[in-house]
Every structure is written in C-alpha cells, then in structure tokens.
C-alpha cells in the first residue's frame, strides 16, 4: 500500500469540548504521521466547497452552520492506508452506531455533533487536503523511528 495523505477536522464541538488533544492523540498514536496541523475558522465559502457533495440534502444547511460555528483543528495525516485507518478510528457517521473505542462511539450521541471529519476516499483526500492546507503548510519531514512503524 503506497502512502496516502488524508484530511481530518476536529469539528467545532470537539474543540469546544476540549477534545482536540484526545482526538489528535488517538490518531497520532496509530503511527500515522502529522504533516499539517492548525486551528482555523472555516468560512461559509470553504464549508460549501468542502461539503459540496451534500448540497441539497436536508441536513446541508445545519451542517454548514455547524462547521462554521467556531474554530476547527485541521490535520493532514500521512501513512500507508491513512484514509481507512482514520475512518476506522473515527467510527461510523452516527455515534449511536459507532463502535466503542472509536472517537464517535466514545464521545458522541448525535449525528449532527459527531466530532470529527475524515476524508472518505483517495479522490476526496487529495481535494480536501488542498482545500485546507497550502503546500507550504504541509511538512514532509523525516521521522527517526520510521523503521519501527512501517516495514
Ligand atoms: N450529517 C448529518 N445528518 C445526516 C448525515 C450527515 O448531520 O443525516 C452530517 C454529519 O456531521 C456528517 C456530515 O454531515 O459527519 C457528512 O456526512 P457524511 O455522510 O459524509 O458522513 P462522514 O463522512 O462524516 O462520516
Ligand atoms: Mg463524508
């Protein structure tokens, strides 16, 4: 499996509830490498581009209001299977159905306040990382213990 870079957002409820560190800790401890990290306010325009696939759905307006309501923490995570590993750690969209041990399963109760975004596939990941990070903000750094994380 070649390396992927995926976009994660700690959504405004995660930041407001002081869960940013806990969520980053869980993802970082997998062995995925942080290559981008920032606190930011999502504009309505950025929210519209990020969630374009959901435009017209009944929850769309609420979703844009939610993601723009207060700051998010944006992360770019790199590694083999970064997209699938991140989605596994997040749990499924609806917290009531998300497995214990996942971020949504452990910290959420409402689909409209499900704490975290993670890119769904390679095409989305590429588009979303570029929406949230400039190339200058992505650091391709050497990890000294790399050989103990990937073969
Ligand atoms: N969402 C919602 N109600 C729904 C479906 C989705 O509020 O019935 C929100 C929820 O915050 C979700 C986001 O819209 O995380 C994007 O939906 P998607 O189906 O892409 O889920 P995800 O990829 O985030 O698991
Ligand atoms: Mg999605």
């Amino acid at each position: 499996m070649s390396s992927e870079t995926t976009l994660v957002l700690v959504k405004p409820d995660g930041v407001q509830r002081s869960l940013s560190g806990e969520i980053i800790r869980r993802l970082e401890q997998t062995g995925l490498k942080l290559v981008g990290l920032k606190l930011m306010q999502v504009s309505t325009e950025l929210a519209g581009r990020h969630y374009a696939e959901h435009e017209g759905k009944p929850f769309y307006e609420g979703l844009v209001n939610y993601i723009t309501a207060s700051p998010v923490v944006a992360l770019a995570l790199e590694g083999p299977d970064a997209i699938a590993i991140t989605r596994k750690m997040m749990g499924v969209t609806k917290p009531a159905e998300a497995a214990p041990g996942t971020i949504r399963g452990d910290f959420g109760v409402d689909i409209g306040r499900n704490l975290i975004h993670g890119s769904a596939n390679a095409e989305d990941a590429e588009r979303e990382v570029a929406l949230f990070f400039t190339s200058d903000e992505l650091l391709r750094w050497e990890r000294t213990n790399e050989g103990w994380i990937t073969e």
Side-chain angles (χ1 to χ4, degrees):
M1 177 70 223
S2 61
S3 195
E4 300 173 333
T5 304
T6 191
L7 178 80
V8 170
L9 302 175
V10 179
K11 291 177 172 179
D13 49 336
V15 178
Q16 291 279 355
R17 292 175 55 196
S18 304
L19 290 169
S20 311
E22 170 69 19
I23 290 169
I24 295 168
R25 184 186 67 76
R26 289 180 176 215
L27 295 169
E28 194 180 26
Q29 283 186 340
T30 60
L32 293 177
K33 188 201 279 185
L34 261 175
V35 294
L37 177 64
K38 62 180 170 181
L39 181 71
M40 63 181 287
Q41 174 63 45
V42 176
S43 66
T44 307
E45 199 243 323
L46 177 58
R49 292 174 72 189
H50 176 62
Y51 281 130
E53 66 170 305
H54 296 303
E55 205 180 334
K57 295 182 186 170
F59 61 85
Y60 178 75
E61 200 185 324
L63 177 57
V64 170
N65 289 338
Y66 168 38
I67 205 72
T68 59
S70 77
V72 303
V73 175
L75 292 78
L77 289 171
E78 182 195 82
D81 288 314
I83 296 165
I85 290 168
T86 299
R87 297 283 298 191
K88 176 193 71 177
M89 298 297 290
M90 287 164 53
V92 297
T93 310
K94 195 173 173 186
E97 290 165 9
T102 66
I103 291 161
R104 288 165 168 173
D106 286 354
F107 301 119
V109 292
D110 183 344
I111 194 170
R113 296 288 183 267
N114 63 357
L115 297 142
I116 181 169
H117 168 82
S119 306
N121 55 56
E123 193 184 312
D124 283 359
E126 195 171 335
R127 184 178 59 82
E128 292 173 359
V129 169
L131 272 180
F132 281 82
F133 290 96
T134 64
S135 54
D136 283 357
E137 290 171 331
L138 296 171
L139 305 187
R140 303 295 176 179
W141 54 288
E142 282 295 314
R143 205 162 45 184
T144 55
N145 59 345
E146 196 61 55
W148 298 107
I149 297 167
T150 56
E151 188 178 5

